Amino acid sequence: MTRILVTNDDGIDSPGLRYLARAAAREGHDVVVAAPVTESSGSSAAMTAIEEHGKIILHKRELTGAKHIPAYAVAASPAYIVLLALREAFGPIPTMVLSGINRGANAGSAVVHSGTVGATFTGSYAGLHGLAVSLDVLSPREASSRSGGAAMDVITDTDDEKRHWSSAAELAVRLIPTLLHTAPGTVFNLNVPDLHLDGIRGLRRAALAQFGQVQMSIAEAGEGFVRTAVQAADELLEPQTDLAALAEHFAVVTPLRAPVEASDVRFNLETVAVHSPAL
């Protein structure tokens, strides 16, 4: 049995979080949920929290259909929540971080901005395995700078429940044994089409695309302000990448590692003066 922290960047009330936590618990894992009180999309691995009198506010919550799973709404970013979990704020220290299910794909180089992925990276520094899970709910016209470039539909709560969260949750828990056989600190980034499992063509490993699904531009600039716009990326899909696989209705897995030293970079520091010459 694996001790798993389930978090996300869409907030404690998002349906994807519930589906992921319930699926992990059904597999017999020891699950605890801790997620932001409100949406924290685009937060990457930011360490932010709201304090009152020096205390970070958290509340016990009851997840729909998962009363047996302890859950906490925390006034903090996903990465900060992982840091708190590593300090036993929610019980025993987890050995894995499941982050998601995000509303909108986290694919291509845009993963660097993702709060979903950022939470898993934070755990990886402590040797935890991480699995970031996203559902490809795509509508680039509705993306924004606030969402970190995530492309998603603006939909009602009722429609939101009809999305294929169960498909992403099921594939995520099936990947857990494979993930646990990788080196400590490994992160899997899983993107799943918004389809029933029967409509998904399979599971592929793929590289990150050079670009994300959307790109931000400056729509207007004036005295003391700028206004941004987000549009679908117009680059051709690169073969063998995550975005190409998603477009072909495959679920796609990309193994990631948190930033490390670029040991292959060579340069000479002998010509760089440390002290300024005497005047």
Side-chain angles (χ1 to χ4, degrees):
M1 181 174 63
T2 303
R3 173 70 172 174
I4 295 177
L5 169 69
V6 179
T7 190
N8 71 352
D9 68 0
D10 287 330
I12 189 72
D13 296 316
S14 68
L17 182 79
R18 300 196 307 271
Y19 276 82
L20 189 58
R22 292 193 302 234
R26 282 197 302 269
E27 291 296 308
H29 299 293
D30 180 16
V31 176
V32 61
V33 172
V37 175
T38 57
E39 185 176 335
S40 299
S41 294
S43 59
S44 188
M47 292 290 169
T48 58
I50 297 174
E51 295 185 359
E52 291 184 10
H53 307 295
K55 300 175 182 178
I56 298 171
I57 305 303
L58 57 88
H59 301 281
K60 290 207 71 173
R61 295 286 289 270
E62 187 175 285
L63 298 181
T64 303
K67 295 180 180 180
H68 61 294
I69 300 175
Y72 301 87
V74 188
S77 63
Y80 203 125
I81 288 171
V82 172
L83 194 65
L84 292 175
L86 291 170
R87 271 64 177 176
E88 301 183 80
F90 315 112
I93 296 174
T95 56
M96 176 180 290
V97 175
L98 290 187
S99 187
I101 302 165
N102 191 66
R103 187 187 291 105
N106 278 303
S109 60
V111 298
V112 70
H113 307 297
S114 166
T116 306
V117 176
T120 61
F121 278 167
T122 302
S124 75
Y125 284 118
L128 274 61
H129 288 94
L131 178 54
V133 189
S134 303
L135 191 67
D136 188 21
V137 180
L138 174 62
S139 178
R141 291 187 301 275
E142 305 299 344
S144 69
S145 56
R146 181 176 179 274
S147 71
M152 63 194 75
D153 283 327
V154 173
I155 48 183
T156 66
D157 290 343
T158 301
D159 289 336
D160 209 10
E161 294 293 342
K162 296 178 181 178
R163 296 287 173 173
H164 295 89
W165 306 109
S166 59
S167 297
E170 180 62 28
L171 288 177
V173 296
R174 292 181 187 181
L175 272 175
I176 288 176
T178 301
L179 177 59
L180 289 174
H181 280 89
T182 64
T186 300
V187 168
F188 279 178
N189 187 41
L190 170 66
N191 283 286
V192 180
D194 186 19
L195 299 168
H196 189 276
L197 275 177
D198 292 341
I200 297 174
R201 296 177 62 187
L203 188 62
R204 280 186 175 176
R205 174 176 177 168
L208 294 177
Q210 185 176 359
F211 300 97
Q213 287 182 312
V214 296
Q215 292 183 8
M216 186 181 73
S217 61
I218 301 298
E220 183 182 5
E223 185 66 31
F225 80 94
V226 293
R227 182 169 61 85
T228 63
V230 180
Q231 60 188 24
D234 54 9
E235 287 78 13
L236 295 176
L237 291 175
E238 305 162 79
Q240 310 302 318
T241 63
D242 50 5
L243 288 177
L246 276 174
E248 296 173 0
H249 292 171
F250 283 92
V252 58
V253 181
T254 306
L256 304 174
R257 289 206 185 281
V260 295
E261 178 196 2
S263 57
D264 60 318
V265 176
R266 300 286 183 261
F267 52 90
N268 185 2
L269 291 178
E270 293 180 0
T271 61
V272 181
V274 176
H275 304 288
S276 299
L279 296 178

Coordinates of all heavy atoms in Angstrom, one line a residue, residues 119-212:
A119 N 3.5 20.9 -8.6 CA 3.3 20.1 -7.3 C 4.1 18.9 -7.3 O 4.7 18.5 -6.3 CB 1.8 19.8 -7.1
T120 N 4.1 18.2 -8.5 CA 4.9 16.9 -8.5 C 6.4 17.1 -8.5 O 7.1 16.4 -7.9 CB 4.5 16.1 -9.8 OG1 4.8 16.9 -11.0 CG2 3.0 15.8 -9.8
F121 N 6.8 18.2 -9.2 CA 8.2 18.6 -9.1 C 8.7 18.8 -7.7 O 9.8 18.4 -7.3 CB 8.5 19.8 -10.0 CG 8.6 19.5 -11.4 CD1 8.6 20.6 -12.4 CD2 8.8 18.3 -11.9 CE1 8.8 20.3 -13.7 CE2 9.0 18.0 -13.3 CZ 9.0 19.1 -14.2
T122 N 7.9 19.5 -6.9 CA 8.2 19.8 -5.5 C 8.4 18.5 -4.7 O 9.4 18.4 -3.9 CB 7.1 20.7 -4.9 OG1 7.0 21.9 -5.7 CG2 7.5 21.1 -3.5
G123 N 7.5 17.6 -4.9 CA 7.7 16.3 -4.3 C 8.9 15.5 -4.7 O 9.6 14.8 -4.0
S124 N 9.3 15.7 -6.0 CA 10.4 14.9 -6.6 C 11.7 15.3 -5.9 O 12.6 14.5 -5.9 CB 10.4 15.1 -8.1 OG 11.0 16.4 -8.4
Y125 N 11.8 16.6 -5.5 CA 13.1 17.0 -4.8 C 13.3 16.2 -3.5 O 14.5 16.0 -3.1 CB 13.1 18.5 -4.5 CG 13.3 19.3 -5.7 CD1 12.3 20.2 -6.2 CD2 14.5 19.3 -6.4 CE1 12.5 21.0 -7.3 CE2 14.7 20.0 -7.6 CZ 13.7 20.9 -8.0 OH 13.9 21.7 -9.1
A126 N 12.2 15.7 -2.9 CA 12.4 14.9 -1.7 C 12.4 13.4 -2.0 O 12.2 12.6 -1.1 CB 11.2 15.2 -0.8
G127 N 12.5 13.0 -3.3 CA 12.5 11.6 -3.7 C 11.2 11.0 -3.9 O 11.1 9.8 -4.2
L128 N 10.1 11.8 -3.9 CA 8.8 11.2 -4.1 C 8.5 11.0 -5.6 O 8.9 11.8 -6.4 CB 7.7 12.2 -3.6 CG 7.3 12.1 -2.1 CD1 8.5 12.3 -1.2 CD2 6.2 13.0 -1.8
H129 N 7.8 9.9 -5.9 CA 7.3 9.8 -7.3 C 6.1 10.7 -7.5 O 5.4 11.0 -6.5 CB 6.9 8.3 -7.5 CG 8.0 7.4 -7.6 ND1 8.5 6.6 -6.6 CD2 8.8 7.0 -8.7 CE1 9.5 5.9 -7.0 NE2 9.7 6.1 -8.3
G130 N 5.9 11.2 -8.7 CA 4.8 12.1 -9.0 C 4.1 11.8 -10.3 O 4.8 11.3 -11.2
L131 N 2.8 11.9 -10.3 CA 2.0 11.7 -11.5 C 1.1 12.9 -11.7 O 0.2 13.1 -10.9 CB 1.2 10.4 -11.3 CG 0.3 10.0 -12.5 CD1 1.0 10.0 -13.8 CD2 -0.4 8.7 -12.2
A132 N 1.3 13.7 -12.7 CA 0.5 14.8 -13.0 C -0.5 14.4 -14.1 O -0.1 13.8 -15.1 CB 1.3 16.0 -13.5
V133 N -1.8 14.6 -13.8 CA -2.9 14.0 -14.7 C -3.7 15.2 -15.2 O -4.2 16.0 -14.4 CB -3.7 13.0 -13.9 CG1 -4.7 12.3 -14.9 CG2 -2.9 12.0 -13.2
S134 N -4.0 15.2 -16.5 CA -4.8 16.2 -17.1 C -5.7 15.7 -18.2 O -5.4 14.7 -18.8 CB -3.9 17.3 -17.8 OG -2.9 17.8 -16.9
L135 N -6.9 16.3 -18.3 CA -7.9 15.9 -19.3 C -7.9 17.0 -20.4 O -8.0 18.1 -20.1 CB -9.3 15.8 -18.6 CG -10.4 15.1 -19.4 CD1 -10.1 13.7 -19.7 CD2 -11.8 15.3 -18.7
D136 N -7.9 16.5 -21.6 CA -7.7 17.4 -22.7 C -9.1 18.1 -23.1 O -9.7 17.7 -24.1 CB -7.2 16.7 -23.9 CG -6.8 17.6 -25.1 OD1 -6.6 18.8 -24.8 OD2 -6.7 17.2 -26.2
V137 N -9.5 19.0 -22.3 CA -10.7 19.8 -22.5 C -10.3 21.1 -23.2 O -9.8 22.0 -22.5 CB -11.4 20.1 -21.2 CG1 -12.7 20.9 -21.4 CG2 -11.8 18.8 -20.4
L138 N -10.4 21.1 -24.5 CA -9.7 22.1 -25.3 C -10.6 23.2 -25.9 O -11.6 22.8 -26.5 CB -8.9 21.5 -26.4 CG -8.2 22.4 -27.4 CD1 -7.2 23.3 -26.7 CD2 -7.6 21.6 -28.5
S139 N -10.3 24.4 -25.6 CA -11.0 25.5 -26.3 C -10.1 26.7 -26.1 O -10.2 27.5 -25.2 CB -12.4 25.9 -25.6 OG -12.9 27.0 -26.3
P140 N -9.1 26.9 -27.1 CA -8.1 27.9 -26.9 C -8.7 29.3 -26.8 O -8.1 30.2 -26.2 CB -7.3 27.8 -28.2 CG -7.5 26.4 -28.7 CD -8.9 26.0 -28.2
R141 N -9.8 29.6 -27.4 CA -10.4 30.9 -27.3 C -10.7 31.3 -25.8 O -10.8 32.5 -25.5 CB -11.7 31.0 -28.1 CG -11.5 30.9 -29.6 CD -12.8 31.1 -30.4 NE -13.8 30.2 -30.0 CZ -13.9 29.0 -30.5 NH1 -13.0 28.6 -31.5 NH2 -14.9 28.2 -30.2
E142 N -10.9 30.3 -25.0 CA -11.3 30.6 -23.6 C -10.1 30.6 -22.7 O -10.2 30.8 -21.5 CB -12.3 29.6 -23.1 CG -13.6 29.5 -24.0 CD -14.3 30.8 -24.1 OE1 -14.1 31.7 -23.2 OE2 -15.2 31.0 -25.0
A143 N -8.9 30.3 -23.2 CA -7.7 30.4 -22.3 C -7.4 31.8 -22.0 O -7.8 32.7 -22.7 CB -6.6 29.7 -23.1
S144 N -6.6 32.0 -21.0 CA -6.2 33.3 -20.5 C -4.8 33.3 -19.9 O -4.3 32.2 -19.6 CB -7.2 33.9 -19.6 OG -7.1 33.2 -18.3
S145 N -4.3 34.5 -19.7 CA -3.0 34.5 -19.0 C -3.2 34.1 -17.5 O -2.3 33.5 -16.9 CB -2.4 36.0 -19.0 OG -3.4 36.9 -18.5
R146 N -4.4 34.3 -17.0 CA -4.6 33.8 -15.6 C -4.6 32.3 -15.5 O -4.2 31.8 -14.5 CB -6.0 34.3 -15.1 CG -6.3 33.9 -13.7 CD -7.7 34.5 -13.3 NE -8.0 34.2 -11.9 CZ -8.6 33.0 -11.6 NH1 -9.0 32.2 -12.5 NH2 -8.9 32.8 -10.3
S147 N -5.0 31.6 -16.6 CA -5.0 30.2 -16.5 C -3.6 29.6 -16.9 O -3.4 28.4 -17.0 CB -6.0 29.6 -17.5 OG -5.6 29.8 -18.8
G148 N -2.6 30.4 -17.0 CA -1.3 29.9 -17.4 C -1.2 29.4 -18.7 O -0.3 28.6 -19.1
G149 N -2.1 29.8 -19.6 CA -2.1 29.3 -21.0 C -2.8 28.0 -21.2 O -2.9 27.4 -22.2
A150 N -3.4 27.5 -20.1 CA -4.2 26.2 -20.2 C -5.4 26.5 -21.1 O -6.0 27.5 -21.0 CB -4.6 25.7 -18.9
A151 N -5.7 25.6 -22.0 CA -6.8 25.8 -22.9 C -8.0 24.9 -22.5 O -7.8 23.7 -22.3 CB -6.4 25.4 -24.3
M152 N -9.1 25.6 -22.2 CA -10.2 24.8 -21.6 C -11.5 25.4 -22.0 O -11.6 26.6 -22.5 CB -10.1 24.7 -20.1 CG -10.2 26.1 -19.5 SD -9.7 26.1 -17.7 CE -7.9 26.0 -17.9
D153 N -12.6 24.7 -21.9 CA -13.9 25.2 -22.2 C -14.4 25.9 -20.9 O -14.2 25.5 -19.8 CB -14.9 24.0 -22.4 CG -14.7 23.5 -23.8 OD1 -14.4 24.2 -24.7 OD2 -14.9 22.2 -24.0
V154 N -15.2 26.9 -21.2 CA -16.0 27.6 -20.1 C -17.3 26.9 -20.1 O -18.1 27.0 -21.0 CB -16.1 29.1 -20.3 CG1 -17.1 29.7 -19.3 CG2 -14.8 29.8 -20.3
I155 N -17.5 26.1 -19.0 CA -18.7 25.2 -19.0 C -19.4 25.3 -17.6 O -18.7 25.7 -16.7 CB -18.3 23.7 -19.3 CG1 -17.1 23.3 -18.4 CG2 -18.1 23.5 -20.7 CD1 -16.7 21.9 -18.7
T156 N -20.6 24.9 -17.6 CA -21.3 25.0 -16.3 C -20.9 23.8 -15.4 O -20.3 22.9 -15.9 CB -22.9 24.9 -16.5 OG1 -23.2 23.6 -17.1 CG2 -23.3 26.0 -17.5
D157 N -21.2 24.0 -14.1 CA -20.9 22.9 -13.2 C -21.5 21.6 -13.6 O -21.0 20.5 -13.5 CB -21.4 23.3 -11.8 CG -20.5 24.4 -11.2 OD1 -19.4 24.6 -11.7 OD2 -21.0 25.0 -10.2
T158 N -22.8 21.7 -14.1 CA -23.5 20.4 -14.6 C -22.7 19.8 -15.7 O -22.5 18.6 -15.7 CB -24.9 20.8 -15.0 OG1 -25.6 21.4 -13.9 CG2 -25.6 19.5 -15.4
D159 N -22.3 20.6 -16.7 CA -21.6 20.0 -17.8 C -20.2 19.5 -17.4 O -19.7 18.5 -17.9 CB -21.4 21.1 -18.9 CG -22.7 21.4 -19.6 OD1 -23.6 20.6 -19.7 OD2 -22.8 22.5 -20.2
D160 N -19.6 20.1 -16.4 CA -18.3 19.7 -15.9 C -18.3 18.3 -15.4 O -17.4 17.5 -15.6 CB -17.9 20.7 -14.8 CG -16.4 20.8 -14.8 OD1 -15.7 20.3 -15.7 OD2 -15.9 21.4 -13.8
E161 N -19.4 17.9 -14.8 CA -19.5 16.6 -14.2 C -19.7 15.5 -15.3 O -19.4 14.3 -15.1 CB -20.7 16.5 -13.3 CG -20.6 17.3 -12.0 CD -19.5 16.8 -11.1 OE1 -19.1 15.7 -11.2 OE2 -19.1 17.6 -10.2
K162 N -20.0 15.9 -16.5 CA -20.2 15.0 -17.6 C -18.9 14.7 -18.4 O -18.9 13.9 -19.3 CB -21.3 15.5 -18.6 CG -22.6 15.7 -18.0 CD -23.6 16.3 -19.0 CE -25.0 16.5 -18.4 NZ -26.0 17.1 -19.3
R163 N -17.8 15.4 -18.1 CA -16.6 15.2 -18.7 C -16.1 13.8 -18.3 O -16.5 13.2 -17.3 CB -15.6 16.2 -18.3 CG -15.9 17.6 -18.7 CD -15.7 17.8 -20.2 NE -16.2 19.1 -20.7 CZ -16.0 19.5 -21.9 NH1 -15.4 18.8 -22.8 NH2 -16.5 20.7 -22.3
H164 N -15.1 13.3 -19.1 CA -14.6 11.9 -18.9 C -13.5 11.8 -17.9 O -12.4 11.3 -18.1 CB -14.2 11.3 -20.2 CG -15.4 11.1 -21.2 ND1 -15.7 12.1 -22.1 CD2 -16.2 10.1 -21.4 CE1 -16.8 11.7 -22.8 NE2 -17.1 10.5 -22.4
W165 N -13.8 12.3 -16.7 CA -12.8 12.3 -15.6 C -12.4 10.9 -15.2 O -11.3 10.6 -14.9 CB -13.4 13.0 -14.3 CG -13.8 14.4 -14.6 CD1 -15.1 14.8 -14.6 CD2 -13.0 15.5 -14.9 NE1 -15.2 16.2 -14.8 CE2 -13.9 16.7 -15.0 CE3 -11.6 15.7 -15.0 CZ2 -13.4 17.9 -15.3 CZ3 -11.2 17.0 -15.2 CH2 -12.1 18.1 -15.4
S166 N -13.4 10.0 -15.3 CA -13.2 8.6 -15.0 C -12.1 7.9 -15.9 O -11.4 7.1 -15.4 CB -14.5 7.8 -15.0 OG -15.1 7.8 -16.2
S167 N -12.1 8.3 -17.1 CA -11.1 7.8 -18.1 C -9.7 8.1 -17.6 O -8.8 7.3 -17.6 CB -11.3 8.3 -19.5 OG -12.6 7.9 -20.0
A168 N -9.5 9.4 -17.3 CA -8.2 9.9 -16.8 C -7.8 9.3 -15.5 O -6.7 8.9 -15.3 CB -8.2 11.4 -16.7
A169 N -8.8 9.1 -14.6 CA -8.5 8.5 -13.3 C -8.1 7.1 -13.4 O -7.2 6.6 -12.7 CB -9.7 8.7 -12.4
E170 N -8.8 6.4 -14.3 CA -8.5 4.9 -14.4 C -7.1 4.7 -15.0 O -6.4 3.9 -14.6 CB -9.6 4.3 -15.3 CG -9.4 2.8 -15.6 CD -9.5 2.0 -14.3 OE1 -10.2 2.4 -13.4 OE2 -8.8 0.9 -14.3
L171 N -6.8 5.5 -16.0 CA -5.4 5.3 -16.6 C -4.4 5.7 -15.6 O -3.3 5.2 -15.6 CB -5.3 6.2 -17.9 CG -6.1 5.6 -19.1 CD1 -6.0 6.6 -20.3 CD2 -5.6 4.2 -19.5
A172 N -4.6 6.7 -14.8 CA -3.7 7.2 -13.8 C -3.3 6.1 -12.8 O -2.1 5.8 -12.6 CB -4.2 8.4 -13.1
V173 N -4.3 5.4 -12.3 CA -4.1 4.4 -11.3 C -3.4 3.2 -11.9 O -2.6 2.4 -11.3 CB -5.3 4.0 -10.5 CG1 -5.8 5.2 -9.7 CG2 -6.4 3.5 -11.4
R174 N -3.7 2.9 -13.2 CA -3.0 1.8 -13.9 C -1.6 2.1 -14.1 O -0.8 1.1 -14.2 CB -3.7 1.6 -15.3 CG -5.1 1.0 -15.2 CD -5.7 0.8 -16.6 NE -7.1 0.4 -16.5 CZ -7.9 0.1 -17.6 NH1 -7.3 0.2 -18.8 NH2 -9.1 -0.2 -17.4
L175 N -1.2 3.3 -14.1 CA 0.2 3.7 -14.3 C 1.0 3.7 -13.0 O 2.3 3.7 -13.1 CB 0.3 5.1 -14.9 CG 0.3 5.3 -16.4 CD1 0.3 6.7 -16.8 CD2 1.5 4.6 -17.1
I176 N 0.4 3.7 -11.9 CA 1.1 3.7 -10.6 C 2.1 2.6 -10.4 O 3.3 2.9 -10.1 CB 0.1 3.8 -9.4 CG1 -0.6 5.1 -9.4 CG2 0.8 3.5 -8.1 CD1 -1.7 5.2 -8.3
P177 N 1.8 1.4 -10.7 CA 2.9 0.3 -10.5 C 4.1 0.6 -11.4 O 5.2 0.4 -11.0 CB 2.1 -1.0 -10.9 CG 0.7 -0.7 -10.7 CD 0.5 0.8 -11.1
T178 N 3.9 1.0 -12.7 CA 5.0 1.3 -13.6 C 5.8 2.5 -13.0 O 7.1 2.4 -13.0 CB 4.5 1.7 -15.0 OG1 3.7 0.6 -15.5 CG2 5.6 2.0 -15.9
L179 N 5.2 3.5 -12.5 CA 5.9 4.7 -12.0 C 6.7 4.3 -10.8 O 7.8 4.7 -10.6 CB 4.9 5.7 -11.6 CG 5.4 7.0 -10.9 CD1 6.4 7.7 -11.8 CD2 4.3 7.9 -10.5
L180 N 6.2 3.4 -9.9 CA 6.9 3.0 -8.7 C 8.1 2.2 -9.0 O 9.0 2.0 -8.2 CB 5.9 2.2 -7.8 CG 4.9 3.0 -7.1 CD1 3.9 2.1 -6.3 CD2 5.5 4.0 -6.2
H181 N 8.2 1.7 -10.2 CA 9.4 0.9 -10.6 C 10.5 1.8 -11.3 O 11.5 1.3 -11.8 CB 9.1 -0.2 -11.6 CG 8.5 -1.4 -10.8 ND1 7.2 -1.6 -10.5 CD2 9.1 -2.5 -10.3 CE1 7.0 -2.7 -9.9 NE2 8.2 -3.3 -9.7
T182 N 10.3 3.1 -11.3 CA 11.3 4.0 -11.8 C 12.1 4.6 -10.7 O 11.8 4.3 -9.5 CB 10.6 5.2 -12.6 OG1 9.8 6.0 -11.7 CG2 9.8 4.7 -13.7
A183 N 13.1 5.3 -11.0 CA 14.0 5.9 -10.0 C 13.2 6.9 -9.1 O 12.3 7.5 -9.6 CB 15.2 6.6 -10.6
P184 N 13.6 7.0 -7.8 CA 13.0 7.9 -6.9 C 13.0 9.4 -7.5 O 14.0 9.7 -8.1 CB 13.8 7.9 -5.6 CG 14.3 6.5 -5.6 CD 14.6 6.2 -7.1
G185 N 12.0 10.1 -7.4 CA 11.9 11.4 -7.9 C 11.4 11.6 -9.3 O 11.3 12.7 -9.8
T186 N 11.1 10.4 -9.9 CA 10.6 10.5 -11.3 C 9.1 11.0 -11.3 O 8.3 10.6 -10.5 CB 10.6 9.1 -12.0 OG1 12.0 8.7 -12.0 CG2 10.1 9.1 -13.4
V187 N 8.9 11.8 -12.3 CA 7.5 12.4 -12.5 C 7.0 11.9 -13.9 O 7.7 11.9 -14.9 CB 7.5 13.9 -12.5 CG1 6.2 14.5 -13.0 CG2 7.8 14.4 -11.1
F188 N 5.7 11.4 -13.9 CA 5.1 11.1 -15.2 C 4.0 12.2 -15.4 O 3.3 12.6 -14.5 CB 4.3 9.8 -15.1 CG 5.2 8.6 -15.3 CD1 4.6 7.3 -15.2 CD2 6.5 8.6 -15.6 CE1 5.3 6.2 -15.4 CE2 7.3 7.5 -15.8 CZ 6.7 6.2 -15.7
N189 N 4.0 12.7 -16.6 CA 3.0 13.7 -17.0 C 2.0 13.0 -18.0 O 2.4 12.6 -19.1 CB 3.6 14.9 -17.8 CG 2.6 16.0 -18.0 OD1 1.8 16.3 -17.2 ND2 2.7 16.6 -19.2
L190 N 0.8 12.8 -17.5 CA -0.2 12.1 -18.3 C -1.3 13.0 -18.8 O -1.9 13.7 -18.0 CB -0.8 11.0 -17.4 CG -2.1 10.3 -17.9 CD1 -1.7 9.4 -19.1 CD2 -2.7 9.4 -16.8
N191 N -1.5 13.0 -20.1 CA -2.6 13.7 -20.7 C -3.6 12.7 -21.4 O -3.1 11.8 -22.1 CB -2.1 14.7 -21.7 CG -1.4 15.9 -21.1 OD1 -2.1 16.8 -20.6 ND2 -0.1 16.0 -21.1
V192 N -4.8 12.9 -21.1 CA -5.8 12.0 -21.6 C -6.9 12.7 -22.4 O -7.4 13.8 -22.0 CB -6.5 11.3 -20.4 CG1 -7.6 10.3 -20.8 CG2 -5.4 10.6 -19.5
P193 N -7.3 12.2 -23.6 CA -8.4 12.8 -24.3 C -9.7 12.7 -23.6 O -9.9 11.8 -22.7 CB -8.5 11.9 -25.6 CG -7.2 11.2 -25.7 CD -6.7 11.0 -24.3
D194 N -10.6 13.7 -23.8 CA -11.8 13.8 -23.1 C -12.8 12.8 -23.8 O -13.8 13.2 -24.5 CB -12.4 15.2 -23.1 CG -13.7 15.3 -22.3 OD1 -13.9 14.5 -21.5 OD2 -14.4 16.3 -22.5
L195 N -12.5 11.5 -23.6 CA -13.3 10.4 -24.3 C -13.5 9.3 -23.3 O -12.7 9.1 -22.3 CB -12.5 9.9 -25.5 CG -12.2 10.9 -26.7 CD1 -11.2 10.2 -27.6 CD2 -13.5 11.3 -27.4
H196 N -14.5 8.5 -23.6 CA -14.7 7.2 -22.8 C -13.5 6.4 -23.1 O -12.8 6.4 -24.2 CB -16.0 6.5 -23.3 CG -16.3 5.4 -22.4 ND1 -15.8 4.1 -22.7 CD2 -17.2 5.3 -21.4 CE1 -16.3 3.3 -21.8 NE2 -17.1 3.9 -21.0
L197 N -13.1 5.5 -22.2 CA -12.0 4.6 -22.4 C -12.0 3.9 -23.7 O -11.0 3.6 -24.3 CB -11.9 3.6 -21.2 CG -11.1 4.1 -19.9 CD1 -11.2 3.1 -18.9 CD2 -9.7 4.5 -20.3
D198 N -13.2 3.5 -24.1 CA -13.4 2.7 -25.3 C -13.0 3.5 -26.6 O -12.7 3.0 -27.6 CB -14.8 2.2 -25.5 CG -15.1 1.1 -24.5 OD1 -14.2 0.5 -23.9 OD2 -16.3 0.9 -24.2
G199 N -13.1 4.9 -26.4 CA -12.7 5.7 -27.6 C -11.3 6.2 -27.6 O -10.8 6.8 -28.6
I200 N -10.5 5.8 -26.6 CA -9.1 6.2 -26.5 C -8.3 5.1 -27.2 O -8.5 3.9 -26.9 CB -8.6 6.3 -25.1 CG1 -9.4 7.5 -24.4 CG2 -7.1 6.6 -25.0 CD1 -9.1 7.7 -23.0
R201 N -7.5 5.5 -28.2 CA -6.8 4.5 -29.1 C -5.7 3.7 -28.4 O -5.3 2.6 -28.8 CB -6.2 5.2 -30.3 CG -7.3 5.8 -31.2 CD -6.7 6.6 -32.3 NE -5.9 5.7 -33.2 CZ -5.2 6.1 -34.2 NH1 -5.1 7.4 -34.5 NH2 -4.5 5.2 -35.0
G202 N -5.2 4.2 -27.3 CA -4.1 3.5 -26.5 C -3.3 4.5 -25.7 O -3.7 5.7 -25.6
L203 N -2.3 4.0 -25.2 CA -1.4 4.8 -24.3 C 0.0 4.8 -24.9 O 0.6 3.8 -25.3 CB -1.3 4.2 -22.9 CG -0.6 4.9 -21.8 CD1 -1.3 6.3 -21.5 CD2 -0.5 4.1 -20.5
R204 N 0.5 6.1 -25.2 CA 1.8 6.2 -25.8 C 2.7 7.0 -24.9 O 2.3 7.9 -24.2 CB 1.6 7.0 -27.1 CG 1.2 6.2 -28.3 CD 1.2 7.0 -29.6 NE 0.9 6.3 -30.7 CZ 0.7 6.8 -32.0 NH1 0.9 8.1 -32.1 NH2 0.5 6.0 -33.0
R205 N 4.0 6.8 -25.1 CA 5.1 7.6 -24.5 C 5.5 8.6 -25.6 O 5.6 8.2 -26.8 CB 6.3 6.8 -24.1 CG 7.4 7.7 -23.6 CD 8.6 6.9 -23.1 NE 9.7 7.8 -22.7 CZ 10.8 7.4 -22.0 NH1 10.9 6.2 -21.6 NH2 11.7 8.3 -21.7
A206 N 5.6 9.9 -25.2 CA 6.0 10.9 -26.2 C 6.8 12.0 -25.6 O 6.7 12.2 -24.4 CB 4.7 11.5 -26.9
A207 N 7.5 12.7 -26.4 CA 8.3 13.8 -25.9 C 7.4 15.1 -25.8 O 6.3 15.1 -26.4 CB 9.4 14.1 -26.9
L208 N 7.9 16.1 -25.1 CA 7.1 17.3 -25.0 C 7.3 18.1 -26.3 O 8.3 18.1 -26.9 CB 7.7 18.2 -23.9 CG 7.6 17.7 -22.4 CD1 8.3 18.7 -21.5 CD2 6.1 17.6 -22.0
A209 N 6.2 18.6 -26.8 CA 6.2 19.5 -28.0 C 7.0 20.7 -27.6 O 7.0 21.1 -26.5 CB 4.8 19.8 -28.4
Q210 N 7.5 21.4 -28.7 CA 8.3 22.6 -28.4 C 7.4 23.7 -27.9 O 7.8 24.5 -27.1 CB 8.9 23.0 -29.7 CG 9.9 24.2 -29.6 CD 10.6 24.6 -30.8 OE1 10.4 23.9 -31.9 NE2 11.4 25.6 -30.8
F211 N 6.1 23.7 -28.3 CA 5.2 24.7 -27.9 C 4.0 24.1 -27.2 O 3.8 22.9 -27.3 CB 4.7 25.5 -29.1 CG 5.7 26.2 -29.9 CD1 6.3 25.6 -31.0 CD2 6.2 27.4 -29.5 CE1 7.3 26.2 -31.8 CE2 7.2 28.1 -30.2 CZ 7.7 27.5 -31.4
G212 N 3.3 24.9 -26.4 CA 2.1 24.4 -25.8 C 0.9 24.5 -26.7 O 1.1 24.9 -27.9

